[in-house]
Amino acid sequence: MSATLRLITAILLPLQWIGIRLFDVHLPPQWEVVGAGLAIFGAAFLLSWAAEVAQVDIPQALALAFLALVAVLPEYAVDIYFAWSAGKDPTYIAYATANMTGANRLLIGVGWASVVVTFWFKTRHRQVVLDRSRSIELLHLVLATIYSFVIPLKGTLSALDSAVLLAIFVSYMISASKAKVVEPELDGGVGELLMQLQPNLRRLATIAMFVYAALGIYLSAEPFAEGLLATGREFAIEEFLLVQWLAPLASESPEFIVAIVFALRGNPGASMGTLVSSKVNQWTLLIGMLPLAYSLSAGHLGAMHLDARQTEEIFLTAAQSLFAVAVLANLSFSLAEAGLIFVLFATQLFFTDPLFRYLYAIGYIVLAASWLIVSRSSRQGLVAMVVERWAGKGMAASHQK
């Protein structure tokens, strides 16, 4: 498919849903899920292409962070809708938690693994090596992951969590903004098509894509979320599972595709960098925004109280993140490591008993500790990230003096 045709298709997918909402057409729940889901799918591609071109004008690390941020905007829209609804109906807290944990586990278990597998199919190289600059993302992911274990311990998502996680996110964005500007690698796609425009026209087109995609997402988030719940009730499917796995799969599939395209172009470092950045965004900004949306909807500052299942899901998600960080600490990701992460993710889907969620979580933690003990390169990589971060702060302070 040509770049022009891809761009037109991505524009038409939100347009059909905007038309449905404009003319107030009422559809059965399952068709609302399809229509709104396609709109989110198209909008996510538009956001990804626009952010890719933005690398021309801002530092690459910041552009990748921005790309990762806007690529998961559909996920944010759906989850924040659930949190907002929870402010008026506490039963929606379960759906906000389900969507958030499913999105995070899919990103690592499927997204990260798919990059290495794709690169292996393309080049037969069994390992992806990340640039040293990616330590910015990993260090902030370490901080967010360590803090995330506090949430299941206290059993709530509160303003305190928002303050800590949003502070980590701001620190990450500031660090990324200080990286150097690098010309993006565009290979015959929509990004290159946009790059052929005059600079001012290119920037105008990029802004227009952001605004149009945001409108499509805004109009799609509520009907997509409610349609999923109604579909689950109609077909006697557990709503929690639909929200946890189907919603993130629909909203994050364009992001996975973009990452795979990077890998097929022979640039797996950018591919992994984008997905690691997405994980930082989801594990800081997304979770941090949920209590704020909840409190704003409720009309007072309050905490989202988690039940036993929600606590187990967050604990398991935090443990998976800890193991993923331990594996990636040496800035390399092998085919075997990707296979292990995928198998651990996939097999847990077959066991719904709470005991297995705890067993998998403990297993992840034991594996992470063992990995850091056995792997000298992972230990050194983790220490190097911390040292570089503090050394950078020290140099900045000396320059100010």
Side-chain angles (χ1 to χ4, degrees), residues 24 53 66 215 270 345 367 391:
D24 198 25
V53 175
F66 189 56
L215 175 64
F345 165 76
L367 277 172

Side-chain angles (χ1 to χ4, degrees), residues 98-123:
N99 192 248
M100 175 265 289
T101 53
N104 274 279
R105 298 219 293 274
L106 269 170
L107 189 59
I108 289 177
V110 177
W112 287 21
S114 65
V115 170
V116 184
V117 172
T118 301
F119 188 59
W120 175 72
F121 273 120
K122 175 73 176 180
T123 65

Side-chain angles (χ1 to χ4, degrees), residues 342-391:
F342 175 76
V343 168
L344 287 171
F345 165 76
T347 54
Q348 68 190 244
L349 302 179
F350 296 100
F351 304 103
T352 57
D353 190 278
L355 175 63
F356 284 99
R357 283 193 280 272
Y358 279 114
L359 288 175
Y360 269 91
I362 293 169
Y364 274 127
I365 293 170
V366 170
L367 277 172
S370 303
W371 202 278
L372 292 174
I373 291 171
V374 172
S375 174
R376 182 181 178 185
S377 62
S378 295
R379 288 198 310 274
Q380 290 177 334
L382 200 57
V383 171
M385 279 188 277
V386 176
V387 170
E388 285 176 9
R389 174 65 175 166
W390 284 107

